[in-house]
Amino acid sequence: MDALATVMLRRAGVVVLPAPAAEPAADGAAWVSAFEADLAARGWLLAAPLRERFVRLDASARMRWADWVCAVADEAVGADRDHVPLFRSFPDTPEAPESLFVDRLLVHLFQADAAPCVLCGTSGSVRPLDPCGHLVCVECFDPALYSACAVCGRRLTSISPYVLVTEPNPEAGPVGKPLRLRRITLDEDPEATATRLRDELVARTAALGAADLADLMILVAATAPGRLDWLPEKVPARETLAVVIAWALHATALTDSYAQVLRDAVARWTTVTDVARALWAYSGGDVGLMLPRKPGVDGPLEAYRPVQEPRLTVDVPKVRALPRPLRRAVLAFVDGRDPATAAEDMARHPVVWKRLAERLHPFEHIGAYPQAAVVFATLRGTRAPATGPLGLAIADVAAPRPERFILAYHRGGTVSVRVRTFAALVEEAVADDDVVAAATLLAQRPGDLWRRADHLLRLAVDDPGAQRTVVDALARTAARVSPNVLATAAASLNGRDAAAPHGRAAAAVLPDSASVAEAVVVTETAEVGVIGAALRRALRIAVRTPARAARPAAARGPEPGTPRRTFFPKGDVVRTWTAPEHRVPLPADAITQVRAITDTELVSRAAELPRFDVAVLDAALAAIPAPMRERAGSAQLAGWPRGSVRTLAEADVLRLFLHWVDSDQHRVDLDLSCGFYDENWMPVGHCDYTRLRYKHTAAIHSGDLTSAPAPLGATEFLDLNRAALANAGVRWAVPVVLSFNDVPFELLDAAFAGFSAPVKGSRRFDAGRVMQKFGLRGDARSLAPLVLNVATGEVMWIDASLSTKGYGHSIGAHGARLARLAADLWEHFRDGARASLLDVAAWHAAARADRVYVVHADGTATPVKADDPVSAVAAIRAAAAAASGDAAVDAVGRVFAATEDEGRLSAIVGGDVAQGSAVLLVDGDPGASWTRVTAADLMAGLAPPSWAEPAERWQWEGNWRAPGSLA
């Protein structure tokens, strides 16, 4: 089957089968029953129309399509690979791994060729292994127990005398009850379905991840190759627009359609950064203009790096040759922009633009595009003869804008120019304590204004007039801001009225005229070192403080449990860093006003969408953050938002798995590990390739594989027994995947990990019991996917990377930093500083539903009554904070529901619902009577009106779909 059919099955759960055979097979019903049994073990079910069509196919067609459906189902969870760990008997791994390590070490050091075994003394039992060359005794290391070299863990070639040649023996054992069920159905109109899926992706307001982009490329190629006329008037995500333009330029190269595509592309560009994204994607670069990280300093184990395995890095893409019409169109576009703004935009991505300039040749066309040439001269700091064409162009452009362009004349009669950025003007106003001027400037760029709302309100904390100016500016500009930015800015103010300065901020707020007694009172609860600073300030004592020695990496940053801020730097993967909370509290009324502005704006946008009779919202969604930084996330099976928490109430054992395949040129050694910590995040132990067992059965590792040649690859497992871990004093467990030999995940051909909830005695890898599977990607050498609260069984999805350097990465070296990362993210996502899925659902429910219910954990409900939609949003939040309600849900008519999974959906709404009902689920399949929507779909519906198609932003005929859909 083609790639389009696979995308449609994965994303929409639909199959396009051929027409029924003239003479169907006689055993059709019995065959389909057997096929359904195979699918059920994987957690997939056939809808009645699809089942009936399979019954009516001929034998060869049905087998071909059934094999394909099973293959897609297996690929989704990783069951399409052979999972053979080092110890074939896993989880029955060696009880004494320490003595096994000693035996391996002795063999490695002292075993000689043609000599008796150094361990047992047996002659003739030693075999040389290929490719590692180790000499292994088959009596001491039974080949039936090992799938690789027993000494070093490298996979062996088929010619190695140590390898046993046996008949294929598929993994035996029963399968457990599937954790989730997914119903797939027949699709009679695949073109409409593909168009709908395409338009839903394009309508998303956030940048797409790598997996979504790959699917979008297939959908665009199938529905609108080499065209841009199908796009909505405004595409919310600029990165999505850039890749679509790049694909269209590729598809129409050397064709008559190229000129029209180029005209359409130029018409959709609004900034020079849009141009950079499109050209960078055209050359195979990251559409977010993220560059690979530069190689850092050598790590402590760099000396152990094998000579034949040099350090590998992700290369910066080379800009491909640009056709002349494209070069001229780009230069003409840049020439038509405001030169100061264009120069500032280029300065944000200097490496990208300098590489693009090598292909654009801007200085060869100074006469035709003088402003473009000046913009590139500003980027490069070019010194041009003052009387030459470029020098005269620089003078002409800079003369009308002396406040933005600064000329510098040099020896030899040359001139250069630099630009004062918009940010510099804002910072100048901030430095002058002119909050009104800063807010007025930022109002020209509404997104930046909202991102700096907290900062401006802090500056105006003692000036009610300036505070009103900031709030008024936020209110005026809200209609032009992305819903993601509005939601994030408003949620970040939660609790800011009670935030207490931490550490040195306490001394910073102490007046210069304070007495010694006042200094002691203010700083009596401050951290070590702050009291002395405050006392010296009060006594006017000047003290020369010696330079501090750098703290070890594990000790940097504020401690868990202390007031602190968590930051997420922009990048191709998610990394974090923290800083103590220094900010002064904000006025509660200002926070309330900003939240009201956000609710008012987003509710008004949602009111334009089709209505529902009733909305049923699960209070538990208040603890689940709305999706963030999706483009930097891993492609995953469950679709959990970062920071969401799932409870493993019935899972006594959590089985982690990791699978990878070596690249064509490089050996890759990945390691699956897990760190264990007490309630204060102090390390109490770990389980990895150096410690195969923790507290006997609390954690069991399957053994260390150090290479993964195709086609078998390598698989590592790690079992976590919650009860045994709790008895061992473990409160937190944090798994991590590390690239031991420092190969970036981006260079791997195939690599994924995940976890399942195995049933005792079942198969080692049970496809139906896989809870989560995620890919390893990006310029990273580590990934911490989740945090497990051993006591409660809660799992938080964090999907974050540690910064690493050097060779020989292990949890022993990174355990303390891993704890800090996990603690920071656990507290960050649980303190309400992020917009939640309840917020997203509340904006839609308050604006679009005639009746709204909030359902609590005990099954009771609270009806929401409010005079207006904006008040209803606040009432929904208040109802969700209550423990129980006093009413039952009356879900009659078209329903909009939002909850965690299909089990909870059945509990709060019941059975079938009216056609046109929609549901937001964190995990699972709602069933045939529902139309499932994602948080990204809901946020796309809240895009500003100028972003949507003028005729109608959404259409509704029983399906949730984006503009331009034909379904």
Side-chain angles (χ1 to χ4, degrees):
M1 310 311 158
D2 62 8
L4 177 63
T6 302
V7 169
M8 293 171 61
L9 177 55
R10 282 195 291 102
R11 300 193 74 94
V14 296
V15 181
V16 184
L17 290 182
E23 296 182 4
D27 62 344
W31 181 91
V32 170
S33 296
F35 175 43
E36 286 184 304
D38 287 343
L39 282 181
R42 298 169 167 86
W44 285 34
L45 305 175
L46 296 180
L50 183 59
R51 187 184 192 281
E52 180 62 25
R53 180 63 61 86
F54 266 114
V55 170
R56 299 170 63 188
L57 293 179
D58 62 66
S60 62
R62 73 188 184 188
M63 182 60 69
R64 185 169 62 254
W65 282 93
D67 287 345
W68 170 73
V69 171
C70 289
V72 174
D74 288 341
E75 183 185 18
V77 296
D80 59 325
R81 305 280 179 159
D82 291 325
H83 295 283
V84 183
L86 174 64
F87 293 105
R88 299 180 186 273
S89 59
F90 174 83
D92 185 20
T93 54
E95 296 283 346
E98 292 82 5
S99 90
L100 176 62
F101 175 77
V102 173
D103 291 344
R104 294 165 59 196
L105 185 61
L106 292 173
V107 170
H108 175 69
L109 294 176
F110 302 114
Q111 183 64 57
D113 190 15
C117 174
V118 297
L119 299 179
C120 66
T122 304
S123 299
S125 62
V126 176
R127 302 284 189 272
L129 306 188
D130 180 53
C132 61
H134 285 116
L135 302 169
V136 177
C137 174
V138 296
E139 300 295 332
C140 299
F141 301 98
D142 188 351
L145 301 179
Y146 295 87
S147 67
C149 174
V151 176
C152 68
R154 291 194 67 169
R155 291 289 197 199
L156 306 177
T157 62
S158 59
I159 63 173
S160 175
Y162 185 77
V163 175
L164 292 179
V165 179
T166 61
E167 294 183 3
N169 182 24
E171 185 181 354
V175 296
K177 179 182 178 181
L179 293 175
R180 59 168 66 88
L181 296 175
R182 186 184 188 192
R183 182 178 286 102
I184 59 176
T185 189
L186 183 67
D187 189 2
E188 299 286 5
D189 192 352
E191 182 180 353
T193 301
T195 302
R196 174 175 62 84
L197 293 175
R198 179 200 70 191
D199 292 346
E200 286 175 354
L201 290 172
V202 170
R204 290 190 181 179
T205 56
L208 301 178
D212 286 337
L213 283 177
D215 288 350
L216 179 60
M217 182 169 65
I218 293 171
L219 293 167
V220 169
T223 58
R227 292 169 36 219
L228 296 177
D229 55 357
W230 59 272
L231 287 170
E233 181 182 357
K234 294 291 183 181
V235 177
R238 293 177 181 270
E239 295 182 13
T240 304
L241 175 62
V243 294
V244 172
I245 289 175
W247 297 336
L249 291 174
H250 273 299
T252 57
L254 303 178
T255 69
D256 295 337
S257 302
Y258 188 83
Q260 182 59 49
V261 168
L262 186 55
R263 286 193 294 270
D264 292 343
V266 173
R268 290 181 174 277
W269 288 335
T270 58
T271 69
V272 297
T273 303
D274 293 341
V275 180
R277 290 192 180 102
L279 297 186
W280 202 243
Y282 183 81
S283 298
D286 180 83
V287 70
L289 305 182
M290 293 290 103
L291 298 176
R293 293 165 65 90
K294 295 181 180 179
V297 298
D298 292 343
L301 300 179
E302 187 63 29
Y304 292 91
R305 185 188 296 273
V307 175
Q308 68 273 20
E309 296 183 5
R311 176 183 294 175
L312 301 176
T313 58
V314 179
D315 295 331
V316 178
K318 295 181 179 179
V319 179
R320 61 181 300 163
L322 304 178
R324 181 177 299 174
L326 179 57
R327 296 201 309 269
R328 291 180 176 177
V330 169
L331 292 175
F333 178 84
V334 175
D335 194 69
R337 303 300 96 188
D338 172 59
T341 303
E344 181 182 354
D345 288 349
M346 283 190 182
R348 293 193 180 100
H349 307 285
V351 175
V352 171
W353 271 111
K354 288 176 182 178
R355 287 179 176 254
L356 291 175
E358 295 172 358
R359 295 292 189 179
L360 292 172
H361 311 299
F363 298 152
E364 295 180 6
H365 306 280
I366 298 175
Y369 313 112
Q371 290 194 157
V374 173
V375 170
F376 280 98
T378 304
L379 172 71
R380 290 175 161 178
T382 303
R383 296 185 180 186
T387 57
L390 181 57
L392 294 175
I394 290 174
D396 291 341
V397 170
R401 305 288 297 277
E403 77 284 359
R404 296 298 302 275
F405 288 103
I406 301 174
L407 298 182
Y409 292 92
H410 312 279
R411 292 179 179 178
T414 59
V415 62
S416 63
V417 62
R418 63 185 179 88
V419 66
R420 291 189 66 206
T421 65
F422 181 84
L425 301 177
V426 174
E427 292 304 323
E428 182 178 300
V430 170
D432 293 338
D433 292 329
D434 193 343
V435 181
V436 174
T440 303
L441 279 170
L442 286 169
Q444 301 174 31
R445 299 185 179 184
D448 290 344
L449 173 67
W450 275 84
R451 292 183 184 95
R452 298 188 66 160
D454 189 302
H455 185 200
L456 293 176
L457 290 173
R458 290 202 309 272
L459 296 175
V461 69
D462 296 325
D463 186 347
Q467 189 179 116
R468 283 193 299 272
T469 299
V470 173
V471 173
D472 289 345
L474 293 171
R476 289 195 310 272
T477 58
R480 298 156 53 197
V481 180
S482 158
N484 304 68
V485 174
L486 290 176
T488 301
S492 67
L493 300 181
N494 287 343
R496 285 285 289 112
D497 55 331
H502 175 263
R504 304 187 187 283
V509 300
L510 191 67
D512 288 337
S513 59
S515 65
V516 175
E518 290 171 334
V520 173
V521 170
V522 169
T523 60
E524 62 182 356
T525 60
E527 66 179 8
V528 176
V530 173
I531 295 178
L535 289 175
R536 290 195 301 271
R537 183 175 176 182
L539 294 172
R540 294 8 178 224
I541 298 176
V543 179
R544 180 181 294 274
T545 304
R548 294 185 180 182
R551 288 182 294 170
R556 293 175 186 161
E559 295 295 332
T562 61
R564 63 197 190 279
R565 302 173 66 187
T566 301
F567 300 89
F568 297 82
K570 188 176 181 180
D572 65 329
V573 296
V574 171
R575 295 181 173 89
T576 68
W577 61 277
T578 57
E581 178 59 88
H582 291 284
R583 298 175 296 176
V584 297
L586 298 179
D589 58 341
I591 296 175
T592 302
Q593 292 176 52
V594 175
R595 293 301 301 267
I597 292 170
T598 301
D599 292 341
T600 301
E601 176 60 30
L602 295 181
V603 166
S604 67
R605 298 179 188 179
E608 302 297 322
L609 304 177
R611 296 192 60 81
F612 297 96
D613 297 306
V614 60
V616 184
L617 311 183
D618 192 343
L621 295 184
I624 301 178
M628 58 166 285
R629 299 284 302 279
E630 291 180 273
R631 74 172 306 275
S634 304
Q636 50 163 311
L637 168 68
W640 296 342
R642 185 177 290 104
S644 61
V645 175
R646 307 290 292 154
T647 301
L648 309 179
E650 301 178 357
D652 298 327
V653 175
L654 196 67
R655 176 163 295 169
L656 310 170
F657 59 85
L658 165 67
H659 180 87
W660 76 98
V661 178
D662 288 345
S663 65
D664 293 337
Q665 296 84 20
H666 315 292
R667 179 184 72 91
V668 181
D669 181 4
L670 301 187
D671 290 315
L672 179 61
S673 310
C674 189
F676 305 121
Y677 309 91
D678 63 16
E679 60 182 6
N680 296 317
W681 290 100
M682 297 301 293
V684 296
H686 63 266
C687 183
D688 69 341
Y689 65 93
T690 66
R691 185 175 298 177
L692 299 182
R693 286 179 176 262
Y694 176 74
K695 300 298 182 180
H696 189 55
T697 60
I700 304 175
H701 197 283
S702 66
D704 181 30
L705 289 169
T706 59
S707 69
L712 181 60
T715 297
E716 294 184 5
F717 292 101
L718 200 161
D719 277 3
L720 301 178
N721 187 311
R722 283 179 50 209
L725 287 172
N727 292 335
V730 175
R731 175 62 181 273
W732 305 100
V734 186
V736 62
V737 177
L738 293 164
S739 177
F740 179 85
N741 61 340
D742 203 41
V743 178
F745 295 151
E746 191 70 19
L747 300 183
L748 301 184
D749 296 331
F752 61 83
F755 59 93
S756 63
V759 176
K760 187 175 182 179
S762 66
R763 296 179 180 180
R764 187 166 51 225
F765 188 92
D766 189 343
R769 302 292 295 179
V770 173
M771 301 184 67
Q772 178 67 294
K773 175 216 169 189
F774 51 93
L776 303 176
R777 55 162 295 276
D779 188 14
R781 281 83 170 168
S782 69
L783 178 66
L786 59 94
V787 181
L788 170 64
N789 186 329
V790 175
T792 63
E794 293 177 309
V795 169
M796 175 179 284
W797 179 251
I798 61 173
D799 190 17
S801 298
L802 286 170
S803 296
T804 58
K805 59 182 179 181
Y807 182 85
H809 303 303
S810 68
I811 196 170
H814 299 292
R817 294 177 56 232
L818 182 65
R820 182 65 55 83
L821 171 73
D824 289 342
L825 292 178
W826 185 278
E827 295 180 23
H828 171 79
F829 287 115
R830 296 304 288 262
D831 67 3
R834 292 280 175 179
S836 68
L837 288 183
L838 182 70
D839 292 325
V840 179
W843 293 321
H844 283 268
R848 305 172 60 187
D850 299 329
R851 292 170 288 124
V852 179
Y853 293 91
V854 176
V855 182
H856 306 278
D858 61 358
T860 60
T862 298
V864 175
K865 299 179 181 178
D867 297 331
D868 58 86
V870 176
S871 300
V873 174
I876 289 172
R877 295 191 183 109
S884 62
D886 55 2
V889 174
D890 180 17
V892 177
R894 291 206 311 174
V895 181
F896 170 60
T899 185
E900 294 181 290
D901 52 43
E902 67 271 24
R904 181 66 173 161
L905 177 64
S906 300
I908 67 176
V909 177
D912 293 339
V913 291
Q915 183 180 7
S917 296
V919 60
L920 168 66
L921 286 186
V922 179
D923 193 6
D925 186 349
S929 58
W930 291 92
T931 297
R932 183 176 181 179
V933 297
T934 66
D937 295 329
L938 294 178
M939 292 301 284
L942 301 178
S946 60
W947 286 11
E949 289 189 329
E952 185 174 351
R953 294 169 61 204
W954 290 89
Q955 303 176 27
W956 184 270
E957 295 175 2
N959 290 315
W960 187 276
R961 62 188 189 227
S965 174
L966 300 178

